[in-house]
Structure formats: structure tokens, C-alpha cells
Amino acid sequence: MKRGERFFLRVSTGKRGQYKWLPLSVPVHLASKLTHVYGDAKLFQRGKDWFVMLLLRIPHTSTVRDGDPVVIGVDLGVVRLMTAATPDGVKSWNGLPVRHRRERYVALRKRLQRHRRTDRVRAQSGKERRWMHDLNHKLSRELVDMARSYPNAVLAFERLDGIRDRVRGSKKFNRMMSSWAFRDLVDKVRYKAEAAGVGVAFVDPRKTSQTCHRCGHATRSNRANQAIFRCVACGFQTNADWNAATNIAAAGLRALRQGPTDTARSEQSEQASSSLTVPDGVKVCETQVLHTDSNLVSPT
């Protein structure tokens, strides 16, 4: 609440109808944004100081698009955190340093659990969660900034339903997959993209990693291993993440031209799939997304 030139935060005392009003020290450059506060606040202490985290719902004017969209396919993973197929080539974000740091967190938690230091375990879990939260902010900002350099840019992702069941590997790899906050990353991309005038679309994930983007042949045998894609029909070989990102971009472009639908699978495409299996289907996200931490997966 604003009273005069000062802002106050209402905090519940735990008793119905009884509240305390805490004065806020708001930087001048942030004062205008407090008119867009939405939802509950988070109050926390760092050292001797107290801080409040406020959720904002800032309205954005819809971008009028002229011409064909430039679809950038984005494949998410653990070895490579993101692989983006752009008109100028492929850009990937190496996940190896991140993986090593997360393995150190896991080893530290196990050591603390053996000594029954549950307080330290909780503290380390919170530290890892904050680090993942910050990392996803940086990744999403880099991706959206890259997309802004193209006219009518649209970021295409696979729908995240069942992503951890579709990608399986070693025990260590599966643990990394199950604890990584994919949805939190995508949520951050969505609200940043909306503010930057970049579209976001979700593509049907079926066969995107098994289809050759050159000849369209789809089979499990095309995946020689987790990193290499080798088409058994035409012999084309490349990085598996790069091939998947290219397929996602192509599927997003086809479906955007058809129009936003839930399945984007016409009778003709269903008939064609009997002889040639290609990734298809998209759902365009047009609703405004409020950034929250509710989808942040716990590293434990």
C-alpha cells in the first residue's frame, strides 16, 4: 500500500483481522513498478537486514507481426542445458560445469545425512535451489536476448509433459534429469519473451529426437548413443541435440503457419505419417504468464 510517498507491506499476525504494517525502503528506479504488484510477498532475512520479494504482473502490449515468423527451435537437456537452432546456425550452452557442481551438492548432502546434520542438509538444499533459480534467470535472459536479434522471432520448445520419462540414461544422469527445474526455466523464458515481444510455442515431442531432419526417416536406431544421431536410411550424422532442435524449429514453423491448435495434425498429415514420420503439432502460448517459483523443482 502507498501512503503519500511511502510504501508499506501488510503482514499477518496469525490472528484473523489483525495485521502489522511494515514500511518499505524502495529504490527510486523501482517505485513506479510497485503499482503492478500481484499476489503474495516473500519476506526473508539476510544477515541483519530484512528484504521482501514482490511478484509483479506488468501488462505488455501485443506485438503486431508482419511477415513470416523466424522460429528458433530449443532442445533442453543436461549435458547441454540448451541447444538452439537459429537461421544462422546452432548455439548450445554447455552443462558440464553445472553437472559437476550439482554432483558436489549431492555428495555434500549424503555426507551430512550420514552425520545426521539435517539442519545443514536443509541449508544446502536451499542454497542449491537459489543457485538453480539464478542460473535459470541467466539462461532465459541469454536465450531471449538472442531471439530479439531476429525479426518476428518465436522460440519453440518441446512440451514438457513426461520429459523425464522420455530421456533415460545412467543412474547419475537420471538423477540429474529428475532434479533439474526444466519448467522453471521455460516459465522464465515465457515471461521475459512476452516483455521483449518474442513469441513462444510448444511442439509435440513425439519423434523429435529420432527423426532425421534431412530425409524425415524416424526410428530408434537413428540414435547411436546419447550424443550422436546417425540416420540409418540416408547415413546423415550429427549431434543429437542439434538434430532435435532443428526438428523442433521445423515443426514449430509448420504449425504456426497452420494456426494455433492443440494438436495441429490434419487428416493429410496423419495419412502421411504412415510412410514418413515427422515431428508435428504445436500449441501456441498466448496467455500472459506470471513468473513464480511454484514450479521450481527441489534438488532433493
Side-chain angles (χ1 to χ4, degrees):
M1 178 178 291
K2 184 177 183 181
R3 295 177 179 174
E5 297 300 323
R6 302 186 66 186
F7 291 92
F8 294 83
L9 177 70
R10 189 181 73 171
V11 181
S12 173
T13 62
K15 296 182 180 180
R16 186 174 182 178
Q18 296 185 11
Y19 305 96
K20 288 186 178 295
W21 294 89
L22 306 180
L24 299 181
S25 176
V26 182
V28 176
H29 68 283
L30 294 178
S32 61
K33 294 186 177 181
L34 293 193
T35 58
H36 303 293
V37 171
Y38 176 87
D40 294 334
K42 180 180 179 180
L43 190 65
F44 59 96
Q45 187 177 17
R46 293 280 175 83
K48 296 182 179 180
D49 297 323
W50 286 86
F51 297 86
V52 60
M53 184 181 297
L54 301 172
L55 300 181
L56 305 180
R57 175 175 284 179
I58 301 177
H60 300 289
T61 304
S62 300
T63 303
V64 178
R65 301 180 182 275
D66 296 325
D68 290 335
V70 176
V71 181
I72 300 172
V74 184
D75 182 61
L76 302 179
V78 173
V79 178
R80 288 179 174 82
L81 300 177
M82 298 188 302
T83 302
T86 73
D88 298 323
V90 178
K91 178 178 175 59
S92 62
W93 285 260
N94 184 17
L96 191 59
V98 174
R99 185 173 179 177
H100 288 167
R101 182 168 180 174
R102 297 181 67 203
E103 288 173 354
R104 290 198 297 270
Y105 277 121
V106 172
L108 177 59
R109 282 199 301 271
K110 288 182 178 179
R111 187 165 64 250
L112 293 173
Q113 288 170 347
R114 285 197 301 267
H115 292 84
R116 299 182 180 180
R117 293 298 306 272
T118 56
D119 56 332
R120 294 286 302 278
V121 172
R122 287 193 296 269
Q124 287 299 320
S125 298
K127 184 177 180 180
E128 182 178 4
R129 189 180 301 110
R130 291 191 297 271
W131 165 70
M132 291 170 62
H133 182 79
D134 179 68
L135 178 61
N136 279 343
H137 265 303
K138 293 176 180 177
L139 291 172
S140 59
R141 172 52 58 197
E142 289 184 28
L143 184 62
V144 172
D145 286 345
M146 181 191 67
R148 290 178 61 186
S149 64
Y150 297 95
N152 301 328
V154 176
L155 293 169
F157 295 87
E158 289 182 321
R159 286 201 294 267
L160 296 179
D161 303 357
I163 185 173
R164 294 176 177 85
D165 297 327
R166 297 196 304 269
V167 182
R168 309 301 295 175
S170 65
K171 182 178 180 180
K172 182 183 293 186
F173 179 85
N174 293 339
R175 182 178 66 243
M176 294 296 172
M177 280 290 297
S178 63
S179 62
W180 187 246
F182 291 106
R183 190 168 297 279
D184 177 69
L185 173 59
V186 173
D187 283 346
K188 287 176 171 55
V189 171
R190 290 170 70 178
Y191 84 84
K192 287 182 173 67
E194 182 183 13
V198 175
V200 177
F202 289 102
V203 174
D204 190 336
R206 287 174 288 179
K207 302 292 185 179
T208 53
S209 62
Q210 300 173 11
T211 301
C212 176
H213 80 270
R214 285 197 174 181
C215 71
H217 181 72
T219 177
R220 289 179 179 271
S221 302
N222 286 343
R223 293 296 299 273
N225 53 52
Q226 185 64 33
I228 302 299
F229 179 92
R230 184 183 299 111
C231 181
V232 298
C234 69
F236 175 70
Q237 179 173 322
T238 186
N239 178 268
D241 296 331
W242 179 79
N243 180 75
T246 305
N247 284 333
I248 293 171
L253 180 60
R254 287 196 302 271
L256 286 172
R257 287 173 174 172
Q258 294 173 5
T261 61
D262 288 336
T263 59
R265 285 183 176 268
S266 62
E267 295 179 359
Q268 292 82 356
S269 64
E270 288 293 317
Q271 293 172 358
S273 64
S274 60
S275 58
L276 178 64
T277 304
V278 295
D280 202 351
V282 70
K283 183 174 182 180
V284 178
C285 298
E286 297 178 340
T287 58
Q288 186 175 19
V289 179
L290 174 66
H291 168 238
T292 69
D293 289 338
S294 60
N295 292 316
L296 186 62
V297 179
S298 171
T300 58

